[in-house]
Amino acid sequence: MTELERQAAALIRERDLIPGDGRVLVACSGGPDSVALLHVMKHLGEASGFTVGAAHVDHMLRGEESEEDARFVRAMCAGLGVPFHGTAIPVGKIVREQGGNVQDICRAERYRYFAEVMEAEGYGVLATAHHADDVLETVLMRLARGTANAAPGIPASRKFGKGLLIRPFLLSERREVMEYLDVQGLSYRTDPSNMKPDYTRNRFRHRILPLIREENPGAARHVASWDLARRDDEAYLRERALEVWEEISEPLPGGGLALMTEGFSRVPAALQRRLVPLLLDYLYLSDPPPSGSRLESLILSQLSSTGGSGTVDLPAGFRLEREYGKAVFRKAGKEVPEKAGEMPLPEGSWLTAENGMRLFWSDRVAVPDPEPAPGREVLYFGEEEAVLPLSVRQPRAGDRIFLPNMAGPKKVSRIFIDGKIPRSLRDAWPVVTAADGRVIAVPGVRYGKGFTRDGRKGGPYIFIVEHAGDVNHADHTQEETT
């Protein structure tokens, strides 16, 4: 096994990029990088059990030269015994008729074709030949433009349609690819446009990267390794930011969102910076969210303030109104209707909640214990923990519930997260309250102190929940509430 093959195999194994019996489609232009990738993947597939095919797109921009590229790739595939999938797309005509950037249209049309082949031929993985030098170029360009985020380079994999796009060469340098081609005696095609200084990437590639390599020949691999590590860090921080988001945000029934500024101000700055893009994505769901350090800094300063009040106009007619520990984001002038109020939960009668869930409670003497049934929960409680009468309402920001064996209350929003209840279902999910206003149950998810499934230990009242349709999606195997 060659060094380039070992590097690719290690990345595939460490990142679990290809199932053992998977089918991999290699994007092959006929250039040096993709030719090396096709040969490497063919050899690794023979050793590991996955199969390989190749896809080529002629963008019809270089006449006979690009047609020869397609013939070259087809012949190479025939020699390797690899299925060939090819097409020609008139990019020039598309640009003339629809306008747009040539490179962007080439990329969009190319990947559209790859997705079609994968769907039609049963490929689960698309492999492209991006390598460490590409990562270095991308990082430098984004840093220079001021558009770099916490992980500014190229990921080793990402979702692509119903499958996965992978980059096995991401920790290999261009010189190693060229050495592999030379040692293996492999020919390849060259695209003259890759030398033109018209494109930003070419200017970085031919003017800036050589200077960096003079300082450190291994700089590309170091930067690519750094970028992968940053992406792992970013994935973890985003997960934590989503957890915080669930705790401190509240969708408004009439549209818009409320954020608890006290909760926001308590989280670390690293998470605050990741909460603002989540906010913008939420508000501008139907359009590309606005971006820019100035806008994000403005929102950060408002959310970090827990005292006083303030109003800030945002793009596309949104307004931030901060007052009394809450920041409300909504369209300017749009009224927010009141939340649905509480409904009595009468003793001895079934009540159907907005999400289809049915609730019932009664004195145990009045009703026999029901038979076990799928989608039915039966619990028992006493009036000392659930002051009668009971009511049902929708969840509200700040709701908390006292759970068994916990010293303090737990946020209902956190219970929804732990119970894996989709956000789209939470607004209509019922909570049960006692006469003193306390939340005592989140039916189908968690129940408060005083509730138990053990009829021998339970109080004088019975509580029955019957799930309906898709509200019974969650894993309700929760700890016994005694």
Side-chain angles (χ1 to χ4, degrees), residues 11-12 15 17 125-128 130 135 153-159 164-171 224 227-228 231-232:
L11 187 62
I12 290 170
R15 299 270 165 171
L17 299 181
V125 178
L126 174 68
T128 65
H130 297 89
V135 178
I154 303 174
S157 66
R158 65 174 176 85
K159 290 182 179 179
L164 192 69
L165 186 154
I166 69 171
R167 300 179 172 101
F169 284 175
L170 209 63
L171 295 181
D227 186 59
L228 283 184
R231 287 180 180 275
D232 291 339

Side-chain angles (χ1 to χ4, degrees), residues 89-210:
I89 299 174
V91 171
K93 181 180 179 182
I94 295 173
V95 172
R96 287 192 298 273
E97 293 178 352
Q98 303 177 13
N101 178 277
V102 173
Q103 285 189 315
D104 290 343
I105 292 175
C106 283
R107 184 183 187 281
E109 291 297 320
R110 185 166 64 245
Y111 280 92
R112 180 185 58 77
Y113 175 69
F114 295 156
E116 289 177 358
V117 173
M118 292 176 71
E119 178 73 19
E121 303 295 333
Y123 291 98
V125 178
L126 174 68
T128 65
H130 297 89
H131 45 62
D133 293 67
D134 294 317
V135 178
L136 178 56
E137 292 165 7
T138 302
V139 168
L140 292 175
M141 286 191 297
R142 290 180 177 171
L143 287 172
R145 291 171 180 162
T147 58
N149 54 24
I154 303 174
S157 66
R158 65 174 176 85
K159 290 182 179 179
F160 183 71
K162 297 179 181 179
L164 192 69
L165 186 154
I166 69 171
R167 300 179 172 101
F169 284 175
L170 209 63
L171 295 181
S172 304
E173 296 181 351
R174 179 176 284 117
R175 63 174 179 80
E176 294 173 308
V177 172
M178 301 307 295
E179 288 170 3
Y180 173 85
L181 294 168
D182 184 51
V183 170
Q184 300 296 316
L186 300 176
S187 59
Y188 51 86
R189 302 284 293 172
T190 57
D191 183 349
S193 66
N194 289 333
M195 300 300 296
K196 293 181 178 179
D198 306 25
Y199 303 119
T200 303
R201 183 173 293 276
N202 286 349
R203 294 195 294 274
F204 274 80
R205 177 175 299 171
H206 300 299
R207 298 175 183 175
I208 297 176
L209 261 64

Side-chain angles (χ1 to χ4, degrees), residues 340-401:
E342 294 187 343
M343 298 182 294
L345 180 56
E347 181 178 0
S349 299
W350 284 95
L351 182 146
T352 302
E354 185 178 336
N355 67 347
M357 187 178 287
R358 301 177 71 233
L359 310 176
F360 175 94
W361 76 276
S362 175
D363 190 300
R364 293 177 66 176
V365 176
V367 295
D369 288 351
E371 293 294 327
R376 175 185 292 166
E377 291 183 278
V378 179
L379 299 101
Y380 306 90
F381 68 94
E383 192 170 356
E384 67 279 2
E385 293 294 345
V387 181
L388 303 177
L390 306 183
S391 298
V392 177
R393 62 169 172 80
Q394 294 175 341
R396 296 173 183 169
D399 275 346
R400 288 172 168 79
I401 182 173

